[in-house]
Amino acid sequence: MARALALAHSGAGDLGAQRARVLGRLDQLAGVVATVRGRLLVDERASDGWRRPGVPSFEAARSAVSRPGPGAARQEVRQAEALAALPAVAQAVDAGVVRVGHLDVIAR
């Protein structure tokens, strides 16, 4: 992590290629995070453990716990549903072949 941060703040030259590789790896990591988050969100929603008085939906519960805001919570849940419904897409996102930004388009 420290090396990645050092690359992000370094000058041009050969380090530009290293920064590009680090960014590529971070993009792949975002896919892994999205697929793991998706599995957890689908399981949590199915468990009904999130239900509380005054909480109208799973998205509202997610928003209250993680504080991403209602729009971001809806987006996370929409992506999680797409990953659960489309295992080949989930595998591609996890492998970094399909980027998380594309996952949102697929989910819609």
Side-chain angles (χ1 to χ4, degrees), residues 2 4 6 15-16 20 31 34 42-43 45 49 55 60 63 75 78 82 88 93 96 108:
L15 293 176
V42 167
D43 289 348
R45 184 177 57 191
V55 179
S63 179
Q75 179 183 31
R78 186 173 52 241
V93 170
R108 281 190 237 138

Side-chain angles (χ1 to χ4, degrees), residues 34 36-82 84:
V36 171
R37 179 188 300 120
R39 287 183 206 122
L40 291 170
L41 287 173
V42 167
D43 289 348
E44 180 62 16
R45 184 177 57 191
S47 77
D48 285 341
W50 58 270
R51 292 191 186 274
R52 303 277 186 278
V55 179
S57 67
F58 178 69
E59 292 82 356
R62 172 72 180 145
S63 179
V65 169
S66 65
R67 308 233 187 261
R74 282 190 298 274
Q75 179 183 31
E76 286 181 348
V77 172
R78 186 173 52 241
Q79 289 177 350
E81 290 170 343

Side-chain angles (χ1 to χ4, degrees), residues 10-23:
S10 60
D14 288 344
L15 293 176
Q18 290 178 347
R19 282 194 300 269
R21 282 193 299 278
V22 169
L23 288 169

